[in-house]
Amino acid sequence: LAAAGLLLRGRARDAVVVAGSTGWAAITLDFARRRIAPGPRNPREVARMAVTSVLIPPAAIAHRVRGAVRHRRAGPWPPAIEAILFDRDGTLIHDVPLNTDPARVAPLPDARKALDTARRHHLRTGVVTNQAAVGRGEISEDDVARINRRVEELLGPFDTWQVCHHASTDGCECRKPQPGMVFAAAADLGVSVSRCAVVGDVGSDVEAALAAGARPVLVPTRHTRPEEVLAAPLVAKSLATAVDLLLKGNLSGGNLSKGNGR
Ligand SMILES: [Mg+2]
Ligand SMILES: [Zn+2]
């Protein structure tokens, strides 16, 4: 009524203030009433409910606005991929258990093509590989390094190498499905982990990616278990397809321009 009266007298701005604060007060009263009603309704409780009922709405609105602003500033989601981290055995090269002979390193058919595509699109590349045979004492770190050099001869240079030499019983934080190597690779590349993809052939590659907050792509082989394929958020039939999917995602969801929203 007061607002209507002010409006009739041509004081529109005052009318809005009166209507607004009356409305706010009414809603606050209703909020307090609902919170006090269930009890125990002693003076302490009623006082606390009254005070917090006044404070909660502005705090909630401020929180909501802050979230909306952060969301807008964060840029497109999912963010554009800037780096692809590949599992080694069964993904880049055929898995030859306990291989210490560089001559037996054989890339998967489209590995070179997939990596060329990634590099041509200015994506950084890396390798994240579990080499537990070192931890078990079956091969040496030098053996692994020799194989890795051969991988680079065949597939070109990678921007980062992360190798876990621990046995599964060591309880380290790097061995996949732990996220340690994904974090280390992202840090080494200077790329946010949310802008890294992890491409691998088994469930632990997917799990390491998810645990780190990176984007997993599973490229199953005949050794990949069906439940691992079912559990993977993104499955590609080949390495080249995996890279194509990630690049396509960059074009549609994210943004290809480098450094956007970082
Ligand atoms: Mg593998
Ligand atoms: Zn480790």
Side-chain angles (χ1 to χ4, degrees):
L1 281 175
L6 286 165
L7 199 59
L8 283 174
R9 272 179 277 148
R11 291 166 62 187
R13 183 185 289 198
D14 292 342
V16 167
V17 170
V18 167
S21 44
T22 310
W24 185 279
I27 293 167
T28 302
L29 264 173
D30 183 55
F31 183 44
R33 185 185 59 76
R34 289 173 195 234
R35 294 177 68 227
I36 290 164
R41 298 201 200 180
N42 58 46
R44 235 184 108 114
E45 165 82 0
V46 170
R48 193 167 69 213
M49 288 300 120
V51 171
T52 52
S53 295
V54 171
L55 296 177
I56 286 171
I61 289 169
H63 186 68
R64 167 80 193 243
V65 169
R66 205 158 46 231
V69 170
R70 273 182 66 181
H71 182 259
R72 182 166 293 201
R73 283 191 189 150
W77 188 267
I81 291 299
E82 293 178 2
I84 308 183
L85 310 174
F86 295 90
D87 167 55
R88 197 191 80 178
D89 302 324
T91 300
L92 290 175
I93 61 173
H94 287 284
D95 191 2
V96 181
L98 304 182
N99 184 24
T100 56
D101 179 5
R104 293 180 69 202
V105 172
L108 267 78
D110 65 346
R112 181 77 215 206
K113 181 178 158 217
L115 285 159
D116 286 346
T117 304
R119 292 176 182 129
R120 197 167 59 242
H121 286 85
H122 308 290
L123 296 180
R124 318 291 301 280
T125 59
V127 181
V128 288
T129 176
N130 287 351
Q131 296 297 329
V134 175
R136 293 194 303 265
E138 296 165 351
I139 59 175
S140 71
E141 288 192 24
D142 284 347
D143 292 329
V144 172
R146 212 164 45 243
I147 300 297
N148 292 349
R149 276 197 297 278
R150 182 62 182 152
V151 169
E152 286 207 320
E153 280 172 20
L154 293 166
L155 296 178
F158 290 87
D159 300 304
T160 185
W161 278 87
Q162 304 297 327
V163 184
C164 168
H165 294 124
H166 302 109
S168 58
T169 49
D170 287 347
C172 70
E173 284 167 12
C174 35
R175 181 177 162 79
K176 295 174 286 184
Q178 299 296 318
M181 287 194 289
V182 180
F183 286 137
D188 192 22
L189 297 171
V191 170
S192 158
V193 84
S194 66
R195 291 172 180 271
C196 294
V198 177
V199 179
D201 66 321
V202 294
S204 63
D205 298 311
V206 171
E207 288 170 39
L210 292 175
R215 191 134 19 122
V217 186
L218 183 75
V219 181
T221 66
R222 57 203 167 82
H223 302 293
T224 311
R225 296 202 306 267
E227 61 268 29
E228 294 178 323
V229 178
L230 281 172
L234 189 57
V235 180
K237 67 180 196 311
S238 71
L239 268 189
T241 315
V243 171
D244 287 346
L245 278 175
L246 291 167
L247 287 170
K248 210 186 287 172
N250 277 4
L251 281 173
S252 55
N255 192 320
L256 262 189
S257 71
K258 305 213 19 149
N260 172 65
R262 245 208 255 171

